[in-house]
Amino acid sequence: RHAWSLRAQLLRDDWPADDLRVKKKQLLANHCAGGGACPNTGGKGAHRRQRESEARSRRREEGRQTRRSIPPHNMDVLFRSNCGMITGLSLLLWFVRASSSKEGCDSPLVSNLPQSAFKSSSQLSNSHGPGYAKLNRRDGAGGWSPLDSNKYQWLEINLEERTEITALATQGRYGSSDWVTRYLLMFSDTGHNWRQYRQEDSIGAFSGNTNADSVVTYKLQQPVFAQYLRVLPLDWNPNGRVGLRLEAYGCQYKSEVASFDGASYLLFRSDPAPGLSAKDLLTMNFKSLHHSGVLVHMEGQHGHTLTLELLKGKLFLHFRKGRSTSGDFHTTVSLGSLLDDQHWHHISIERLRGHVNFTVDKNTQRLQLPEHQSHFEINEISFGGVSAVGAHSRGNFHGCLENVLYNTVNVIEQAKEKQVSVMGNITFICSEAVDVPVTFASPESFLQLPWAMSRDSVSVSLQFRTWNKAGLLMTFDLQHQVGVLWLYLSEAKTRLQIHKAGRVVVDITAGSGLNDGQWHSVELSVRRGRLVLAVDKADASTTTTSFPVMPGHHIFLGGCPNPEDGSGCRNPFSVFQGCIRLIHLDSSLVDLIKVQQMLIGNFSDLQMDMCGIVDRCSPSHCEHGGKCTQSWSTFHCNCSNTGYSGATCHSSIYEPSCEAYKHRGNTSGYYHVDMDGSGPIKPQLIYCNMSDKAWMVIQHNNTELTKLRASSGTNQHLAYFNYSADAEQLGAIISQAEHCEQELSYHCKKSRLLNTPEGAPFTWWVGRSGEAHTYWGGARPGSQQCACGLQEDCVDPEHFCNCDGDLDSWANDSGVISHKEHLPIRLLAVGDINRPGSEAAYRVGPLQCYGDNDFWNAAYFNKETSYLHFPTFHGELSADISFLFKTSSSSGVFLENLGIKDFIRIELSSPTEVVFSFDVGNGPFEVRVETTEPLNDERWHRVKAERNVKEASLHVDHFPGVVQKAPADGHIHLQLNSQLFVGGTASRQKGFLGCIRSLKLNGKTLDLEERAKITPGVQPGCPGHCSSYGGLCQNQGRCMEKYNGFACDCGSSPYSGTFCHKEVSAHFRPGTSVAYTFKEPYELNRNASAQSSSIYSDLTLKGENISLSFRTSQAPALLLYVNSYYREYLAVLLNRNGQLDVRYKLQNNRDTEVFRSSVRNLANGQLHRVSIRRVSESLGVQIDQHTKEDFNLTSDVDFNAIKAVIIGKVHESGEMDPEIARLNSLGFTGCLSVVQFNSIAPLKAALLYPDASPVIVTGPLTESNCGSSSSSSPYAAETTHSLSDHFGTIGTGEPVVNAISSDSALIGGVIAVVIFVILAALAVMARFLYRRKETCQTQEPKGTKPEDSPETPFNTDPHSQSIINDTQKEYFI
């Protein structure tokens, strides 16, 4: 007791730290010298008290053993003789204890309180009273127990002054079966308007005891500052009653407060500083009685102001420059919500040069000020408001401020000492409002109040706040049961209805937007037949009634009791969830404390004397700009137009690169690319050029060739390049890409470039880092050379650039910059353009990158005991994990990360099941996806798992995903501390055997390959991609393995493109011919010579596979002709009726066989696809989607010694059949596409490989997209961006900046029209002349074949073979 009194004296005097030690020595020395009992010494009573204490430290145990070894009669002598030594030791121990207590703030707060400091809702008996609820005490009945064990009981403790509470310990009632298993902790400064303590902003309940004696202690994550504590039991031992003993731990709390009445304020003028302050810090606490008002206003030099304003329960921090409300600079940041709840809230504003950290309670916003705002000196600060002159606000602050510290100045303390100007009525105690709110939190909540008024008028009013758009506010039966009145929320408006005899006789509304969480007043008044419904004393609706509107016996608020209770209350609407206060019945305030004590009215599931509203959107869990909306119990994120999805807009809906889009089978086009997935970098619309590589093309504002002419007075031309992606996006694209490049070209005429070999460069460019570079495209960094200097082929060998020769004729230096660290080009400075005759032009192409280092980053685990480890995964509130795997094993753990209790794990539990499991403190949680196909098939499979505060989801490939909701009001923080294990576990469970690729955690890719290089049992990389991606190769394209990915070989396909998907088409004119030739058979060509590019035709065909597409309005027309050195031929043509004929002549002594399709009118200008397949004498013809038609040959089935495959006009007609010759004379006008004869694609060879193929092209032939049908891709149509530009007028070498002229375009259009008219006339004449009877034998189809035939018109099997005999020699294009 003496030690505590001395300590209290020291604390009360508030000594400085250095003087504190001296003062302690003086007090203790005087105390011992005066015969007082020294601390921890003297007397049997002291020994007895010490033996009864429950301290269990080793030091005290040793002290007890020492005291037991000394005879009692010698104790006093021993202690008094050693008073000086003991005093010093006691002082040291006391000081250590005091220091540790101050630092740890963990002193017991309840054990020394008098019984009058305890209150409870009820008590079982006097010996079960609340005063016996002290930890480890056995007084009375050994603890507190209420009269009834239900959820409306509470135990309250008055700590006698505002105190900092850091921990709470509970115990059951001694020697009983009574203990609490779960409880709520409430706190208050007044004993009213309680606030619930929440862990992690969501967990409200604490776990209690499992027996009567053990102590369960909780260290509060955030300390509580309050005078009153209240514990509400929720659950207890089912075989006993509520029984409780407790202790709170903490320390004294120093508080300096000032109360403002809404018109007063403190004015603080700072001392002029010798220099500008680089740092300012303002901290304080506030409690508001009104939802709006100015808390702080700072005035600086040059019109700089900072204003902290409370507006509708939210704090806004305004930075302005300028006296007007708009100013020439104004930025605002907002934090917090529901801050008008009459509870204390903490504010901190820290400015460090241009960085501002704005903190409200536990949430911080960081703000970067412009350079001109980052340094300013504060002249004066007003706290609690501003004067009316020049104010930017809506009113002054009404409430209390506490512990206001500006840098090192205690403002309120100085105000007490008259060192700060006090404007208006300010008191230095906090005036507390005594509002008693009640919370309707569950569907069973209701409040029933008696109505005993008998006057003719009715007046009912209340205030409410809620997030819900709908809910019953009030209902009552009219007197004499003539009807019922309902007042409820509908679409966030108040609506009043009166029903009589089953029909609505009154229906009015008032107010809007009432679900904003703010307090709103509603008043119903009825007087002399006039009914008024008013909301917020402004918006009112009035109506008249012809009957009395008078409540019966009761009024129900929020909801109705169960129908079994016989109350007669009916609620056809939603229940109300929110808070209600200030209920007035006929102008009399309802005493809700009496309701709580069950002295009046009735209620169910209400939280009395508190408003439990929680703003679930502050801070918002919606990421990436998702808009947060909420109801009473949950929140919702609207992810529209954000590019992200999921319950919190966490996961990107876009792929991270063009490489990823390519492996989804997408062709060239514009795509949104999100480089870091769920990370902070925004998605960007980028052109993907899908060639052999997936190129990302990032345009800028000037990719055209720009011409410069000599200009006097201009020494330098600066060109700035603004890209379609911002700096952060560009950096991510370049660092993630395998290769990047950018074309840089310079055309010159008497304009030097780099002034090589030794001069200062005239032209230079700036890259990403802002550093100037003096090397040109195609040269090495730092070389101050152009590409010709590197290759030693410049026009002038004495210079390293062509333009440095300073020639009076056009020259150019061009090349690509491919050093990634220097890209992209941000600025180009051109210098030598001011001399007479100087001319120049430059071009900076778009930035182009290919490859994705993250997409192919893989590791192969070849032992079950092997794994890779990485730093701890931090995904406290949101975690997404995605990867690809392939394996032959039936199970294994993909990854695992552990905490003390929390964990996260993804595993293959069986060949058809993936499990995502975790624990954030609510117990293990599992999400399982079962697949209909085995996953251990050595093919790549994609896994994507996400966990956030609302739900957990798991997706595997294209199978239906599984989403499970998180428990309501559960723990939300995932707290891990071990290393992240990939391919195995810390617990040595069965590891993973196989490959894992592209492992991303919250958008960041783990470098598996780099870690695998130094890990036994794990190999970097993982080959074998065709098993998964081979299906992307279409139209007989063949998948070819690459180390990072695959490629489609289209050599055996008439298609081209990345996936052999692009039709190779050309427009034919009457004279156009494409002939794919073969050498004569050896026995016919003994003495002849042939082109080396031909191949011998010493083969015999017993079948053909022919496919082609065409579009024409010409009939008749020859589409394809195959002839032989033995005068045999095959012809595919349209007859005069637009039908398809297939003609075979395989024997000289037999007539031509004609096989005619029944499909008519094929010369209709539409695209048609034809498939012809012959096997021996069987012939099948299919056109478009029509039924396949079958025919039989009656002649020889051998097609010998093919000479040529010809499409278009046959120019070497020779001994051609007369009928075919007449058709051939007309040529073919129209479009031919994807022409294939067995393994030969003559049109593709002529268009794409004319120099390497045995093709002869006669007449005009240009590639076209005329054979393209409507694209099946949901994305943009394929386009190609060329890197080249139009250069030069012929013969001059001058670059052409714009090669398009409106006059030439007009002339070209006229010529095209004339040609079209002429061709149309020729086609009509040819058809007229051809009308005669055919002389050849014609065979109609013998029947149709069902659609389930295995012979498909377009075979996509890459391993299929043409029907050719064993001696055939194939030529692949």
Side-chain angles (χ1 to χ4, degrees):
R1 183 170 65 250
H2 293 296
W4 278 105
S5 65
L6 292 175
R7 182 181 178 191
Q9 182 179 346
L10 290 170
L11 291 173
R12 194 165 52 245
D13 293 342
D14 195 20
W15 288 82
D18 294 333
D19 297 338
L20 185 62
R21 301 184 184 92
V22 178
K23 187 65 178 177
K24 285 177 183 176
K25 290 181 180 180
Q26 291 176 353
L27 287 172
L28 285 171
N30 294 337
H31 188 67
C32 288
C38 297
N40 294 331
T41 66
K44 297 181 180 179
H47 302 316
R48 189 163 52 251
R49 284 193 300 271
Q50 192 163 7
R51 285 196 299 270
E52 291 176 353
S53 71
E54 292 194 8
R56 300 179 182 180
S57 65
R58 181 177 58 83
R59 183 173 65 252
R60 293 188 179 182
E61 182 61 30
E62 291 174 353
R64 283 197 295 271
Q65 293 175 359
T66 302
R67 286 190 291 275
R68 292 192 191 103
S69 64
I70 300 175
H73 63 274
N74 292 331
M75 269 218 179
D76 292 340
V77 177
L78 177 63
F79 276 119
R80 293 186 184 202
S81 64
N82 292 285
C83 185
M85 181 183 70
I86 295 175
T87 299
L89 179 60
S90 300
L91 173 63
L92 179 62
L93 292 175
W94 184 92
F95 181 69
V96 169
R97 181 181 176 187
S99 301
S100 63
S101 296
K102 187 174 181 180
E103 292 176 2
C105 193
D106 55 1
S107 300
L109 303 174
V110 175
S111 57
N112 292 323
L113 292 175
Q115 285 209 2
S116 59
F118 295 80
K119 290 173 59 178
S120 65
S121 54
S122 64
Q123 60 189 42
L124 184 60
S125 68
N126 289 336
S127 61
H128 293 79
Y132 299 113
K134 296 182 179 180
L135 197 72
N136 293 320
R137 295 289 291 272
R138 303 178 183 180
D139 303 349
W144 167 71
S145 285
L147 180 62
D148 297 311
S149 293
N150 56 43
K151 56 186 176 183
Y152 301 116
Q153 307 299 328
W154 46 265
L155 173 66
E156 181 182 313
I157 302 170
N158 182 356
L159 299 176
E160 299 181 340
E161 61 181 347
R162 196 145 178 257
T163 307
E164 180 177 355
I165 302 107
T166 60
L168 190 70
T170 60
Q171 210 174 14
R173 192 169 61 84
Y174 175 74
S176 71
S177 299
D178 304 339
W179 59 83
V180 174
T181 59
R182 202 164 64 96
Y183 62 92
L184 298 178
L185 175 63
M186 319 293 287
F187 59 93
S188 169
D189 280 348
T190 62
H192 292 289
N193 189 27
W194 295 90
R195 187 176 184 184
Q196 181 180 342
Y197 180 85
R198 291 180 176 271
Q199 309 172 69
E200 300 182 359
D201 294 328
S202 62
I203 302 297
F206 289 83
S207 297
N209 301 88
T210 56
N211 56 52
D213 297 323
S214 61
V215 177
V216 176
T217 304
Y218 278 100
K219 182 172 178 60
L220 304 182
Q221 294 178 352
Q222 298 291 332
V224 169
F225 301 92
Q227 180 176 340
Y228 294 87
L229 292 180
R230 182 177 280 188
V231 174
L232 279 65
L234 296 178
D235 296 302
W236 47 90
N237 179 19
N239 299 319
R241 317 175 54 89
V242 170
L244 186 63
R245 290 177 287 172
L246 60 79
E247 179 63 88
Y249 299 92
C251 57
Q252 291 181 341
Y253 177 69
K254 182 180 179 181
S255 176
E256 297 279 358
V257 298
S259 182
F260 300 81
D261 60 3
S264 54
Y265 59 94
L266 296 176
L267 187 60
F268 169 79
R269 290 183 174 88
S270 60
D271 295 330
L276 292 177
S277 173
K279 180 179 179 180
D280 284 303
L281 177 63
L282 171 65
T283 62
M284 66 179 182
N285 301 324
F286 78 95
K287 178 190 291 189
S288 179
L289 300 178
H290 193 258
H291 61 65
S292 298
V294 172
L295 277 79
V296 180
H297 181 73
M298 297 184 180
E299 295 278 352
Q301 294 178 342
H302 311 297
H304 291 86
T305 64
L306 181 152
T307 305
L308 179 63
E309 179 181 19
L310 182 68
L311 181 61
K312 291 188 175 181
K314 296 184 178 181
L315 275 176
F316 291 83
L317 184 63
H318 305 277
F319 291 90
R320 292 185 180 93
K321 182 181 180 183
R323 291 292 180 181
S324 65
T325 54
S326 58
D328 54 10
F329 168 75
H330 183 193
T331 186
T332 300
V333 62
S334 173
L335 259 185
S337 178
L338 307 176
L339 300 177
D340 58 338
D341 57 359
Q342 299 179 20
H343 289 282
W344 288 106
H345 298 279
H346 177 70
I347 299 172
S348 171
I349 303 173
E350 181 183 26
R351 181 182 67 87
L352 182 60
R353 294 184 175 89
H355 300 276
V356 176
N357 293 328
F358 177 36
T359 301
V360 177
D361 294 333
K362 296 182 293 183
N363 304 309
T364 300
Q365 284 261 23
R366 291 171 176 83
L367 181 66
Q368 176 68 51
L369 295 179
E371 181 64 27
H372 66 279
Q373 283 281 322
S374 60
H375 300 282
F376 64 93
E377 184 177 354
I378 301 299
N379 295 332
E380 67 177 33
I381 308 174
S382 59
F383 296 93
V386 292
S387 61
V389 180
H392 297 286
S393 68
R394 297 165 179 80
N396 286 0
F397 174 68
H398 190 191
C400 302
L401 298 183
E402 178 187 55
N403 293 347
V404 180
L405 299 176
Y406 176 64
N407 294 332
T408 59
V409 178
N410 188 326
V411 175
I412 296 178
E413 190 176 75
Q414 287 203 355
K416 290 180 179 180
E417 298 172 358
K418 309 301 183 181
Q419 297 179 18
V420 171
S421 301
V422 177
M423 305 296 183
N425 183 24
I426 294 179
T427 59
F428 296 103
I429 58 172
C430 188
S431 302
E432 303 282 357
V434 190
D435 293 338
V436 180
V438 58
T439 304
F440 296 75
S442 75
E444 290 76 29
S445 299
F446 75 90
L447 173 59
Q448 177 183 344
L449 296 175
W451 179 267
M453 311 301 175
S454 59
R455 296 184 300 177
D456 294 336
S457 62
V458 173
S459 175
V460 180
S461 66
L462 56 87
Q463 291 185 5
F464 70 91
R465 70 192 314 176
T466 184
W467 299 116
N468 291 356
K469 291 183 177 182
L472 178 69
L473 290 174
M474 178 178 63
T475 183
F476 55 81
D477 289 332
L478 302 183
Q479 281 187 358
H480 311 301
Q481 298 182 349
V482 296
V484 59
L485 180 145
W486 285 296
L487 176 62
Y488 60 98
L489 288 175
S490 175
E491 294 299 318
K493 301 177 181 179
T494 58
R495 187 169 185 176
L496 185 146
Q497 287 186 340
I498 299 178
H499 286 223
K500 289 185 65 177
R503 64 188 185 91
V504 179
V505 294
V506 175
D507 190 351
I508 59 175
T509 62
S512 62
L514 303 178
N515 64 328
D516 57 357
Q518 300 297 310
W519 284 109
H520 297 282
S521 65
V522 57
E523 181 177 359
L524 168 65
S525 62
V526 184
R527 184 178 178 85
R528 296 177 182 176
R530 186 170 180 266
L531 186 150
V532 180
L533 176 65
V535 173
D536 293 335
K537 299 181 180 180
D539 190 349
S541 295
T542 305
T543 187
T544 59
T545 61
S546 59
F547 52 90
V549 179
M550 183 67 62
H553 299 290
H554 303 282
I555 290 180
F556 295 90
L557 301 177
C560 288
N562 290 328
E564 294 81 6
D565 293 347
S567 64
C569 178
R570 293 180 296 113
N571 179 18
F573 313 104
S574 303
V575 297
F576 174 77
Q577 290 180 299
C579 302
I580 293 179
R581 69 179 183 184
L582 300 178
I583 304 171
H584 289 81
L585 302 182
D586 266 358
S587 302
S588 297
L589 180 65
V590 175
D591 189 344
L592 293 176
I593 298 299
K594 290 185 178 181
V595 174
Q596 182 183 20
Q597 296 170 350
M598 300 183 182
L599 300 177
I600 60 173
N602 187 21
F603 65 91
S604 174
D605 274 355
L606 297 184
Q607 297 174 1
M608 304 296 294
D609 204 359
M610 65 169 290
C611 180
I613 190 170
V614 176
D615 191 342
R616 302 175 190 274
C617 289
S618 180
S620 175
H621 291 295
C622 302
E623 304 177 49
H624 302 108
K627 184 178 180 181
C628 181
T629 57
Q630 61 185 313
S631 63
W632 180 261
S633 56
T634 188
F635 69 93
H636 172 73
C637 295
N638 185 353
C639 307
S640 301
N641 303 318
T642 65
Y644 297 85
S645 64
T648 59
C649 310
H650 176 76
S651 297
S652 178
I653 63 176
Y654 304 120
E655 295 292 338
S657 65
C658 291
E659 185 85 5
Y661 276 113
K662 174 183 176 181
H663 286 80
R664 284 178 45 178
N666 297 110
T667 57
S668 298
Y670 282 94
Y671 299 93
H672 281 95
V673 173
D674 196 335
M675 301 302 299
D676 66 342
S678 60
I681 301 178
K682 297 179 180 179
Q684 175 63 35
L685 186 65
I686 288 177
Y687 184 80
C688 294
N689 190 359
M690 308 294 193
S691 57
D692 57 332
K693 298 179 176 65
W695 288 89
M696 303 178 73
V697 183
I698 300 96
Q699 299 287 345
H700 57 75
N701 58 324
N702 185 17
T703 57
E704 301 297 326
L705 191 67
T706 302
K707 195 168 184 179
L708 305 173
R709 296 188 182 275
S711 176
S712 59
T714 302
N715 296 325
Q716 196 174 56
H717 173 80
L718 298 179
Y720 296 89
F721 303 100
N722 300 317
Y723 291 80
S724 58
D726 60 32
E728 191 176 28
Q729 292 166 335
L730 287 171
I733 290 171
I734 294 170
S735 62
Q736 189 169 316
E738 179 183 339
H739 170 84
C740 289
E741 63 182 41
Q742 196 166 9
E743 183 188 11
L744 183 59
S745 61
Y746 188 73
H747 302 262
C748 54
K749 182 180 180 182
K750 288 190 67 63
S751 178
R752 292 159 293 179
L753 183 61
L754 300 182
N755 200 20
T756 58
E758 297 178 355
F762 290 105
T763 299
W764 43 270
W765 55 275
V766 175
R768 177 171 31 150
S769 62
E771 182 182 355
H773 302 285
T774 57
Y775 70 97
W776 206 247
R780 290 189 297 266
S783 62
Q784 196 174 334
Q785 292 186 10
C786 299
C788 68
L790 189 67
Q791 300 165 4
E792 298 182 354
D793 60 356
C794 294
V795 174
D796 188 341
E798 295 183 1
H799 300 281
F800 299 143
C801 294
N802 291 322
C803 290
D804 286 347
D806 202 19
L807 303 176
D808 198 12
S809 59
W810 283 98
N812 76 86
D813 288 291
S814 301
V816 295
I817 305 292
S818 59
H819 192 62
K820 286 172 54 174
E821 286 72 15
H822 294 169
L823 293 175
I825 299 173
R826 290 285 190 182
L827 179 145
L828 178 65
V830 181
D832 191 16
I833 54 173
N834 57 351
R835 295 183 295 156
S838 293
E839 294 184 68
Y842 66 85
R843 181 179 186 272
V844 177
L847 175 67
Q848 297 196 114
C849 300
Y850 70 77
D852 185 346
N853 293 327
D854 294 345
F855 189 74
W856 296 110
N857 194 296
Y860 171 57
F861 299 83
N862 53 27
K863 293 181 180 180
E864 287 188 356
T865 58
S866 60
Y867 59 84
L868 300 177
H869 58 85
F870 294 89
T872 305
F873 174 46
H874 297 287
E876 285 80 5
L877 295 176
S878 294
D880 74 280
I881 303 171
S882 64
F883 59 91
L884 294 99
F885 77 93
K886 66 175 183 176
T887 184
S888 59
S889 180
S890 60
S891 63
V893 177
F894 296 121
L895 60 87
E896 180 184 80
N897 206 162
L898 304 178
I900 298 176
K901 292 183 179 179
D902 296 359
F903 73 90
I904 190 168
R905 182 187 302 116
I906 304 178
E907 60 185 309
L908 181 68
S909 61
S910 74
T912 58
E913 185 179 61
V914 176
V915 179
F916 172 39
S917 57
F918 59 89
D919 187 354
V920 295
N922 305 314
F925 195 84
E926 288 188 349
V927 185
R928 296 174 177 266
V929 169
E930 293 189 4
T931 63
T932 56
E933 301 172 7
L935 301 174
N936 58 341
D937 56 357
E938 284 291 352
R939 301 181 66 184
W940 287 113
H941 298 281
R942 179 183 292 272
V943 174
K944 181 172 178 59
E946 181 184 348
R947 177 260 155 192
N948 54 57
V949 297
K950 288 199 69 176
E951 64 185 28
S953 63
L954 179 64
H955 293 83
V956 180
D957 291 342
H958 59 277
F959 300 103
V962 176
V963 179
Q964 291 190 20
K965 299 295 182 182
D969 294 330
H971 291 279
I972 59 175
H973 288 273
L974 176 65
Q975 298 175 343
L976 307 174
N977 55 18
S978 73
Q979 290 182 320
L980 169 68
F981 289 82
V982 177
T985 68
S987 55
R988 303 298 181 184
Q989 296 182 23
K990 182 179 180 181
F992 174 72
L993 286 174
C995 293
I996 296 179
R997 174 165 68 87
S998 189
L999 175 58
K1000 291 190 175 185
L1001 285 78
N1002 278 351
K1004 296 182 179 180
T1005 303
L1006 299 187
D1007 195 345
L1008 302 177
E1009 292 189 356
E1010 193 65 28
R1011 192 61 60 94
K1013 293 176 182 178
I1014 58 174
T1015 305
V1018 187
Q1019 299 175 5
C1022 191
H1025 305 298
C1026 281
S1027 59
S1028 300
Y1029 301 113
L1032 296 176
C1033 297
Q1034 308 169 30
N1035 303 306
Q1036 304 174 37
R1038 184 168 59 91
C1039 183
M1040 300 178 62
E1041 291 284 356
K1042 298 172 64 178
Y1043 177 75
N1044 281 347
F1046 74 102
C1048 293
D1049 179 9
C1050 306
S1052 300
S1053 171
Y1055 291 77
S1056 65
T1058 308
F1059 307 111
C1060 309
H1061 64 284
K1062 184 179 178 183
E1063 295 94 342
V1064 179
S1065 310
H1067 188 77
F1068 281 68
R1069 299 186 183 277
T1072 304
S1073 171
V1074 174
Y1076 190 101
T1077 61
F1078 298 84
K1079 284 185 179 182
E1080 296 182 42
Y1082 180 72
E1083 62 273 10
L1084 300 178
N1085 195 32
R1086 292 174 183 265
N1087 300 319
S1089 62
Q1091 296 179 353
S1092 60
S1093 61
S1094 299
I1095 58 176
Y1096 283 102
S1097 184
D1098 50 350
L1099 53 84
T1100 298
L1101 299 181
K1102 293 185 178 293
E1104 298 84 37
N1105 265 334
I1106 303 170
S1107 64
L1108 59 88
S1109 297
F1110 69 91
R1111 187 198 305 267
T1112 187
S1113 300
Q1114 175 186 341
L1118 181 64
L1119 301 177
L1120 180 138
Y1121 184 76
V1122 184
N1123 59 7
S1124 163
Y1125 285 101
Y1126 295 110
R1127 299 181 182 178
E1128 300 173 354
Y1129 75 87
L1130 159 66
V1132 180
L1133 56 94
L1134 293 179
N1135 63 25
R1136 62 185 182 183
N1137 296 320
Q1139 293 176 285
L1140 185 77
D1141 286 356
V1142 180
R1143 303 193 177 197
Y1144 272 99
K1145 184 176 178 65
L1146 302 183
Q1147 283 182 266
N1148 289 328
N1149 57 354
R1150 297 285 299 272
D1151 290 337
T1152 301
E1153 295 189 77
V1154 180
F1155 306 97
R1156 179 166 298 161
S1157 169
S1158 61
V1159 181
R1160 296 180 176 275
N1161 194 25
L1162 297 178
N1164 58 359
Q1166 301 297 317
L1167 184 68
H1168 299 286
R1169 298 187 182 273
V1170 177
S1171 175
I1172 302 170
R1173 180 180 174 90
R1174 180 180 75 89
V1175 179
S1176 189
E1177 71 278 359
S1178 298
L1179 176 67
V1181 177
Q1182 182 166 5
I1183 300 174
D1184 296 333
Q1185 301 301 321
H1186 296 283
T1187 304
K1188 181 183 175 184
E1189 300 173 284
D1190 293 327
F1191 307 91
N1192 280 332
L1193 273 71
T1194 59
S1195 60
D1196 190 10
V1197 296
D1198 293 337
F1199 196 175
N1200 301 295
I1202 294 176
K1203 182 178 182 181
V1205 178
I1206 305 166
I1207 51 178
K1209 188 171 185 178
V1210 181
H1211 285 279
E1212 294 183 4
S1213 55
E1215 300 179 2
M1216 181 179 287
D1217 184 280
E1219 184 67 21
I1220 302 297
R1222 280 192 289 272
L1223 259 70
N1224 183 57
S1225 64
L1226 302 176
F1228 175 73
T1229 301
C1231 173
L1232 285 173
S1233 175
V1234 290
V1235 181
Q1236 185 168 24
F1237 179 83
N1238 288 349
S1239 60
I1240 296 169
L1243 184 58
K1244 178 180 174 182
L1247 289 172
L1248 304 183
Y1249 313 102
D1251 297 331
S1253 306
V1255 291
I1256 300 173
V1257 178
T1258 306
L1261 180 72
T1262 56
E1263 188 173 3
S1264 166
N1265 62 352
C1266 60
S1268 175
S1269 58
S1270 59
S1271 174
S1272 60
S1273 172
Y1275 301 96
E1278 178 172 357
T1279 56
T1280 302
H1281 284 210
S1282 173
L1283 296 182
S1284 60
D1285 208 326
H1286 301 285
F1287 288 129
T1289 305
I1290 296 176
T1292 66
E1294 177 183 357
V1296 179
V1297 178
N1298 189 349
I1300 300 176
S1301 168
S1302 60
D1303 292 337
S1304 62
L1306 179 62
I1307 295 171
V1310 172
I1311 294 174
V1313 171
V1314 172
I1315 293 175
F1316 176 80
V1317 172
I1318 295 173
L1319 291 176
L1322 291 174
V1324 172
M1325 292 175 60
R1327 183 165 186 174
F1328 176 79
L1329 294 174
Y1330 193 73
R1331 291 183 178 276
R1332 66 179 185 81
K1333 185 178 179 180
E1334 294 181 338
T1335 59
C1336 301
Q1337 175 186 353
T1338 302
Q1339 185 182 120
E1340 295 298 332
K1342 66 179 182 180
T1344 60
K1345 193 168 184 176
E1347 284 295 320
D1348 58 356
S1349 168
E1351 300 172 7
T1352 58
F1354 296 97
N1355 193 345
T1356 58
D1357 182 2
H1359 303 292
S1360 63
Q1361 300 293 328
S1362 302
I1363 306 174
I1364 302 175
N1365 68 2
D1366 295 339
T1367 62
Q1368 177 181 356
K1369 296 180 180 179
E1370 298 180 293
Y1371 190 89
F1372 294 93
I1373 304 302

